[in-house]
């Protein structure tokens, strides 16, 4: 674990609310990474280097300011991670005044670093899982090597699965990081299977079909999900593939893609099995569609009244 300028600045922003004095974060080499005094960033701090090397608090007096390079009166406390010093937090000011705050500031700093490390681990695990799942979805056949890798990741590689794609849609603004985070954790908690993110607005879900879940059960689940999304000021289009064996999961994924492409605000949850004419139309090239329209009803494009009449005619089943 190493301190970065970004993490150090974040720590300074959090810790400075505890005390009115100036603060610095220094790495194990004695370089100041962040400070409430911007002019000190990048400077060498000899007192902090001693504190880190000797794993002890170092009090800097006014006399030390002329003896040690880059220091100001105050206290320097080594930051420990897994019992090893990774840097120093320094409080500038009268040592007798700032020392009582030392242990509190040090403890809070170490907690922030541990929290950051925990989230980094979660992020790494999520990226590893995403990479594996997308590789799996591209495979026409599932190799023994892939099965072994999935098993090591704690995945059920043998049960039948159903792929579902979720595309988030904001109701009145862009999707925030917090909305994505909350949606991911709702799905992860609620779905018996695998949940990974794809880009900034999509999720790929692989439901474990250990027991036969009916179309009605899936519809009820995703309607409940949509109700939860409304409270988050979101909605979603959802494409649901067929239940298939693990080695055919890529086919279920492509089915879910086709279903998602048809989903709309009026019909936000679409099962692949529902698609009939839509599948044929989806496979026709755009140029071919355009040519067909031009040859058939192309002359009507400028007659808005007649087009509206045709729309109503079709909406009423040609009655």
């Amino acid at each position: 674990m190493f301190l970065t300028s970004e993490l150090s600045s974040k720590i300074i922003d959090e810790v400075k609310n505890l005390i009115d004095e100036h603060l610095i974060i220094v790495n194990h080499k004695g370089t100041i990474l962040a400070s409430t005094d911007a002019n000190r960033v990048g400077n060498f701090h000899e007192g902090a280097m001693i504190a880190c090397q000797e794993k002890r608090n170092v009090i800097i007096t006014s006399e030390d300011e002329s003896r040690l390079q880059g220091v100001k009166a105050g206290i320097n406390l080594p930051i420990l991670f897994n019992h090893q010093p990774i840097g120093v937090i320094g409080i500038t000011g009268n040592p007798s005044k700032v020392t009582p705050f030392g242990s509190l500031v040090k403890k809070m700093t170490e907690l922030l670093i541990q929290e950051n490390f925990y989230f980094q681990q979660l992020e790494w695990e999520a990226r590893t899982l995403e990479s594996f799942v997308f590789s799996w979805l591209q495979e026409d056949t599932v190799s023994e090597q892939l099965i072994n890798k999935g098993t090591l990741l704690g995945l059920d590689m043998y049960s039948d699965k159903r792929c579902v794609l979720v595309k988030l849609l904001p109701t009145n603004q862009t999707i925030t990081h917090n909305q994505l985070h909350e949606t991911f954790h709702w799905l992860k908690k609620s779905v018996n299977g695998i949940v990974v993110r794809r880009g900034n607005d999509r999720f790929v879900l692989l439901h474990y079909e250990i027991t036969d879940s009916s179309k009605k059960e899936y519809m009820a689940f995703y309607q409940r999900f949509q109700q939860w999304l409304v409270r988050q000021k979101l909605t979603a289009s959802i494409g649901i593939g067929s239940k298939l064996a693990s080695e055919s999961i890529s086919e279920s994924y492509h089915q879910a893609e086709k279903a998602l492409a048809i989903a709309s605000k009026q019909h936000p949850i679409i099962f692949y099995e529902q698609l009939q004419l839509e599948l044929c139309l989806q496979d026709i090239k755009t140029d071919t569609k355009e040519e067909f329209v031009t040859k058939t009803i192309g002359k009507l494009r400028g007659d808005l009244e007649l087009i509206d009449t045709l729309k109503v005619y079709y909406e009423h089943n040609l009655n």
Side-chain angles (χ1 to χ4, degrees):
M1 178 70 184
F2 292 98
L3 287 174
T4 63
S5 297
E6 183 180 6
L7 176 57
S8 299
S9 296
K10 178 182 175 182
I11 292 170
I12 289 289
D13 288 340
E14 292 287 341
V15 177
K16 69 182 181 183
N17 298 318
L18 297 176
I19 189 169
D20 292 331
E21 307 295 338
H22 279 299
L23 299 165
I24 57 172
I25 297 287
V26 189
N27 66 15
H28 65 290
K29 295 181 179 179
T31 302
I32 299 175
L33 299 177
S35 172
T36 49
D37 179 0
N39 294 323
R40 301 189 70 188
V41 175
N43 294 343
F44 176 72
H45 194 290
E46 190 174 355
M49 188 176 71
I50 293 171
C52 196
Q53 289 177 343
E54 299 183 5
K55 301 182 185 180
R56 65 178 179 88
N57 297 347
V58 173
I59 295 175
I60 305 293
T61 65
S62 55
E63 290 77 15
D64 293 324
E65 291 181 354
S66 58
R67 186 175 62 86
L68 299 174
Q69 184 180 342
V71 306
K72 290 186 178 182
I75 184 171
N76 293 283
L77 307 104
I79 303 168
L80 302 181
F81 182 78
N82 289 338
H83 308 293
Q84 295 298 319
I86 60 170
V88 168
I89 183 161
I91 309 173
T92 302
N94 187 318
S96 62
K97 180 182 176 182
V98 300
T99 298
F101 294 98
S103 59
L104 176 61
V105 169
K106 171 184 165 75
K107 188 65 177 176
M108 184 173 179
T109 301
E110 290 174 346
L111 287 173
L112 288 170
I113 289 172
Q114 289 171 6
E115 180 185 70
N116 182 76
F117 177 76
Y118 171 72
F119 282 117
Q120 281 183 344
Q121 286 293 103
L122 289 181
E123 190 73 12
W124 178 83
E125 289 173 6
R127 293 290 173 264
T128 301
L129 181 60
E130 287 173 18
S131 177
F132 173 79
V133 168
F134 296 138
S135 295
W136 186 9
L137 294 175
Q138 300 304 316
E139 297 289 339
D140 294 328
T141 59
V142 179
S143 65
E144 185 177 348
Q145 182 181 6
L146 192 73
I147 291 173
N148 291 337
K149 187 174 181 180
T151 303
L152 285 173
L153 290 172
L155 308 181
D156 174 3
M157 298 298 295
Y158 297 99
S159 67
D160 292 345
K161 293 174 181 63
R162 184 188 298 265
C163 184
V164 176
L165 296 182
V166 174
K167 177 178 174 60
L168 294 182
L169 304 167
T171 53
N172 55 11
Q173 57 187 359
T174 57
I175 300 168
T176 67
H177 176 77
N178 188 59
Q179 286 174 319
L180 276 174
H181 180 77
E182 292 296 324
T183 304
F184 175 77
H185 283 284
W186 191 95
L187 290 169
K188 192 172 176 62
K189 179 180 66 176
S190 306
V191 170
N192 178 27
I194 304 165
V195 180
V196 296
R197 279 178 53 179
R198 177 140 203 181
N200 293 323
D201 61 356
R202 295 194 184 201
F203 295 91
V204 179
L205 288 65
L206 302 179
H207 287 263
Y208 293 156
E209 288 276 355
I210 298 171
T211 58
D212 286 331
S213 297
S214 66
K215 178 180 173 183
K216 185 177 179 180
E217 289 173 310
Y218 274 103
M219 181 62 77
F221 173 80
Y222 281 106
Q223 285 175 339
R224 193 167 75 251
F225 172 55
Q226 289 278 32
Q227 291 168 0
W228 179 85
L229 283 176
V230 169
R231 296 195 292 273
Q232 314 307 312
K233 296 182 171 53
L234 292 169
T235 184
S237 296
I238 300 167
I240 304 176
S242 304
K243 167 189 170 182
L244 292 170
S246 281
E247 56 265 25
S248 302
I249 195 62
S250 61
E251 183 179 346
S252 184
Y253 172 72
H254 292 308
Q255 291 176 354
E257 281 189 314
K258 291 178 179 179
L260 182 66
I262 302 302
S264 64
K265 288 185 178 180
Q266 290 74 27
H267 303 285
I269 305 171
I270 298 292
F271 289 81
Y272 176 77
E273 291 90 338
Q274 291 177 267
L275 304 182
Q276 296 175 18
L277 177 61
E278 293 91 346
L279 285 176
C280 298
L281 293 176
Q282 197 176 32
D283 284 339
I284 298 175
K285 294 180 179 179
T286 302
D287 292 346
T288 304
K289 293 178 185 177
E290 181 67 28
E291 185 179 350
F292 176 78
V293 170
T294 300
K295 286 183 176 180
T296 52
I297 60 171
K299 294 180 181 180
L300 304 182
R301 283 176 169 170
D303 193 331
L304 299 181
E305 185 177 354
L306 184 53
I307 289 174
D308 286 341
T309 303
L310 283 173
K311 285 181 179 178
V312 173
Y313 182 55
Y314 282 114
E315 286 170 358
H316 290 79
N317 298 316
L318 311 185
N319 187 337

